[in-house]
Amino acid sequence: MAIRFHVAIILSAKEFPVIESGLNMKKILLAAALCACASAVSANEVAPVVDKQSCEKPVYPKAALMNEEAGTVVLSVLVGADGNVVDSKVEKSSGSKALDKATMKIYTSCKFKPGAKDGKPQQAWTKFEYVWSLT
């Protein structure tokens, strides 16, 4: 099955003075075409969706409270075709091992609507960002 797409971008040098040369315009059109192509290819894939009601309630770790630690954790979670968490890993640490571990505990306890490809459930990675704040 062939996927066809058409990208039309109309830019004016008056509206966008940064575009001074044809080279810059070519780069912009190429980037737009690549984005359109990427979205067309992944249109038949659906990412996993978390059921927030099923997750453990976040509990600020005592050690992190005592040390006044705060930060943002970026976590990747591998969700199986059955909607259960298969694996997880910290992509970006908050700088606190206690907060990173607590974030993993929250999201590994969740149930998910699994990802799908061509309408069939499949194992897929998804990312979360959790912010721990003392205020």
Side-chain angles (χ1 to χ4, degrees), residues 11-78:
L11 298 174
S12 162
K14 287 182 182 175
E15 294 170 340
F16 299 94
V18 174
I19 302 169
E20 297 171 5
S21 71
L23 181 59
N24 285 339
M25 180 63 83
K26 287 178 185 176
K27 286 181 182 179
I28 290 170
L29 291 174
L30 178 61
L34 289 173
C35 289
C37 184
S39 65
V41 170
S42 64
N44 62 349
E45 293 185 25
V46 178
V49 178
V50 66
D51 173 9
K52 292 180 183 177
Q53 302 296 334
S54 70
C55 301
E56 263 188 45
K57 191 173 181 177
V59 177
Y60 218 106
K62 288 181 183 178
L65 278 173
M66 290 175 58
N67 293 324
E68 297 182 353
E69 296 172 344
T72 301
V73 180
V74 177
L75 184 72
S76 287
V77 177
L78 180 60

Side-chain angles (χ1 to χ4, degrees), residues 77-103:
V77 177
L78 180 60
V79 179
D82 61 357
N84 291 314
V85 175
V86 175
D87 193 10
S88 64
K89 58 185 173 184
V90 174
E91 294 287 333
K92 181 176 176 254
S93 174
S94 63
S96 163
K97 287 185 181 185
L99 295 178
D100 295 348
K101 186 176 177 182
T103 303

Side-chain angles (χ1 to χ4, degrees), residues 101-122:
K101 186 176 177 182
T103 303
M104 286 184 95
K105 185 176 179 186
I106 294 167
Y107 285 108
T108 56
S109 72
C110 300
K111 298 293 179 198
F112 290 79
K113 179 178 177 184
K117 183 172 184 177
D118 297 324
K120 297 176 186 172
Q122 73 168 8

